[in-house]
Amino acid sequence: MLLLSALSEEIAGKTFFSGEELIYKSLNTTGDYRKIQNLTGDQVKELCRRYNADALLVLNRLETSSRLEEFYQDYYIYGLSLAAIYRSDWSVHRPGVEQSERLQFTDSLFWEDTAFSRKEVFECFPVRSDALKNGALYIGRKSVKRFLPYWEPEDRYFFDVRSKLMKQGLDSIYAKNWTAAIAVWEKAFEQSKRLSEKAFAANNLAVAYEMSGDLTKAWDYINKAIEIYRQKTNTDHLKFYRMGVYHQQLDRRRKEEATLSRQMPQ
């Protein structure tokens, strides 16, 4: 199974798990591979015991359909196109967890080529079976993001004002000393009488706590920052916009962390 082989190689290359093993053997005993035969709880426990696994990612069914078409354009241009659809049904199982998680995907790939002669376009166009195999490999490699958590870089903004405490906090983050930065900015947040400085300190604290891994406090401080900054009569719209964007980014990360904790309990 080319799709599974490509997916397995990509998972191994990410080094997210301590180990992984690809098992080709089908456990469908019905003889009809169009029907899905779900694993029982005992089968999950036995397979995890046999392969010393914490979880199983199971491909229940893979259906492939394709359509090859010939077309003709003006100026004596001949063409061929191939459209392929891959429909896959997956499930994630853990021993002792009765309810498995079901996932279904539909992937579409398209090939097209043209030439000035019909013979040339047929000679250059990939063989249908080879194209479908290459498509399965491509989808297998791309599917790793569906099953493993991944992170993309995002910008984080720190606000700087003419305040000794705020600048001390910025000096600390250059050395990635988040603990020192938090201590200084918390003092700035408590002592400042100016709404803008108080809001900026709260924003900086939110980012520092996020970098320290405390999303709960980060979420608390970014909400405080927005609430306080709204009270200003002459807000800087760009600064307020950046706070709002960060609020959305942090909210998305909180939800992703919650999903990851649910899917991969300690």
Side-chain angles (χ1 to χ4, degrees):
M1 180 70 73
L2 295 174
L3 188 151
L4 284 176
S5 297
L7 175 61
S8 179
E9 289 179 4
E10 288 295 313
I11 290 177
K14 298 297 182 182
T15 65
F16 181 81
F17 298 110
S18 58
E20 54 80 33
E21 184 172 350
L22 175 60
I23 306 169
Y24 282 110
K25 183 180 179 181
S26 173
L27 297 180
N28 189 333
T29 58
T30 65
D32 186 355
Y33 294 107
R34 293 172 299 177
K35 295 182 179 179
I36 295 176
Q37 184 177 9
N38 296 315
L39 294 179
T40 65
D42 290 338
Q43 285 179 309
V44 172
K45 290 180 181 178
E46 171 58 24
L47 287 169
C48 288
R49 183 200 62 79
R50 185 186 308 172
Y51 296 101
N52 192 28
D54 297 316
L56 302 174
L57 173 61
V58 179
L59 175 59
N60 299 306
R61 182 175 59 202
L62 176 64
E63 295 179 332
T64 305
S65 60
S66 62
R67 183 176 179 177
L68 182 66
E69 291 186 331
E70 184 178 3
F71 60 90
Y72 176 78
Q73 297 177 344
D74 293 337
Y75 306 106
Y76 304 99
I77 296 178
Y78 298 84
L80 277 177
S81 67
L82 175 64
I85 298 177
Y86 301 79
R87 295 183 178 89
S88 56
D89 186 293
W90 306 77
S91 54
V92 179
H93 304 262
R94 291 184 292 272
V97 179
E98 183 176 349
Q99 187 68 31
S100 63
E101 185 165 355
R102 201 65 166 268
L103 302 165
Q104 294 178 329
F105 305 107
T106 299
D107 296 285
S108 301
L109 295 178
F110 187 76
W111 293 260
E112 184 178 281
D113 197 9
T114 58
F116 287 107
S117 73
R118 189 170 182 269
K119 178 182 178 182
E120 182 182 354
V121 75
F122 271 91
E123 288 177 346
C124 296
F125 202 78
V127 178
R128 188 175 194 162
S129 58
D130 292 341
L132 294 177
K133 291 176 183 177
N134 289 333
L137 289 170
Y138 174 81
I139 292 171
R141 289 191 293 267
K142 293 298 181 182
S143 292
V144 67
K145 289 185 177 181
R146 292 169 170 167
F147 303 111
L148 294 187
Y150 68 97
W151 293 265
E152 295 180 351
E154 290 184 327
D155 292 329
R156 293 291 184 262
Y157 291 96
F158 293 99
F159 291 110
D160 186 12
V161 296
R162 293 180 180 179
S163 163
K164 182 179 179 181
L165 290 175
M166 292 291 286
K167 291 186 180 298
Q168 284 179 359
L170 290 173
D171 290 340
S172 297
I173 68 166
Y174 292 135
K176 295 186 178 180
N177 189 344
W178 303 111
T179 302
I182 287 171
V184 173
W185 282 331
E186 282 185 337
K187 188 181 295 185
F189 179 77
E190 295 297 333
Q191 295 180 1
S192 179
K193 304 299 182 184
R194 298 171 56 202
L195 289 176
S196 58
E197 184 175 329
K198 200 174 188 70
F200 295 159
N203 177 92
N204 291 2
L205 280 165
V207 178
Y209 271 117
E210 182 193 8
M211 296 299 103
S212 301
D214 193 335
L215 297 187
T216 301
K217 287 189 176 181
W219 182 246
D220 181 49
Y221 271 111
I222 190 57
N223 280 288
K224 288 180 179 178
I226 292 174
E227 181 182 353
I228 293 170
Y229 204 63
R230 275 190 179 136
Q231 299 174 27
K232 279 179 57 64
T233 56
N234 55 338
T235 58
D236 183 318
H237 294 294
L238 178 58
K239 291 183 173 65
F240 191 65
Y241 169 77
R242 284 179 172 171
M243 287 183 188
V245 169
Y246 178 48
H247 184 275
Q248 294 176 355
Q249 293 171 335
L250 189 58
D251 188 34
R252 183 172 64 248
R253 184 179 174 190
R254 287 169 64 245
K255 292 175 180 177
E256 290 172 349
E257 291 279 347
T259 301
L260 185 58
S261 297
R262 177 176 55 83
Q263 293 176 341
M264 302 185 67
Q266 296 296 328

